Amino acid sequence: MFRRILFGTDFSPASRPAFRRAIELARGARGRLLIAHVIPSVGPLGAEGYMTPRMYEEMERAVRNSAQKQLDRLVDRARKAGAAARGLLLTGAAPAAIARAARKERADLVVVGTHGRTGLKRLLAGSVASRIVGTAPFPVLTVRPH
């Protein structure tokens, strides 16, 4: 039985079915749902190739505040659906950040959505879900959007 479930989200429509599945699993096991979003690390570059430290800090703060609001909404939705939930706002490369959080929180299962890309689209856009599956030392459930 999975008692600690970490759900990784990019807030895209493709992650919604995985969110619903993660809630079902947490509720069914009377477990804890950890909802994680990763803010990628970005260097201080602007359109002209440079951004002042103040501009960078303001942009970073705006991105963090926006992500926190979206994360809080998901936590509220999970709680209203009957799951014990908590949000985690992470930074860095998504696959590594999700793996670190799963280890730190002692997650039994990681649930992530996948965009379902194949072929050239997958090669060009990459797949966070497949990198998590390929490197994770724990079970990962991927949920397709349809």
Side-chain angles (χ1 to χ4, degrees):
M1 183 83 45
F2 300 116
R3 302 279 298 156
R4 291 178 196 226
I5 299 161
L6 189 145
F7 164 65
T9 182
D10 60 0
F11 303 130
S12 71
S15 68
R16 290 181 193 141
F19 179 57
R20 289 189 295 269
R21 185 70 176 125
I23 290 172
E24 291 170 9
L25 289 167
R27 207 174 46 211
R30 293 190 180 142
R32 165 157 275 184
L33 177 60
L34 303 164
I35 304 170
H37 175 72
V38 182
I39 299 172
S41 299
V42 179
L45 294 176
E48 283 78 41
Y50 179 75
M51 184 182 296
T52 66
R54 183 176 177 182
M55 289 171 58
Y56 178 75
E57 289 170 7
E58 288 174 11
M59 182 186 74
E60 190 176 52
R61 187 173 28 258
V63 168
R64 180 173 287 281
N65 288 342
S66 174
Q68 187 65 57
K69 286 177 185 176
Q70 291 180 79
L71 188 59
D72 291 345
R73 280 194 293 269
L74 288 181
V75 169
D76 287 343
R77 286 180 52 204
R79 288 177 178 164
K80 286 178 183 172
R86 179 168 58 97
L88 300 171
L89 194 56
L90 312 170
T91 58
I98 295 287
R100 274 193 311 274
R103 279 192 289 278
K104 181 181 176 188
E105 299 290 338
R106 296 190 325 258
D108 300 311
L109 175 70
V110 172
V111 178
V112 292
T114 178
H115 291 275
R117 294 183 188 111
T118 59
L120 186 59
K121 285 182 182 177
R122 181 173 179 185
L123 180 66
L124 294 175
S127 171
V128 172
S130 68
R131 284 182 292 214
I132 292 170
V133 169
T135 60
F138 37 73
V140 179
L141 172 65
T142 60
V143 180
R144 292 180 62 103
H146 33 125

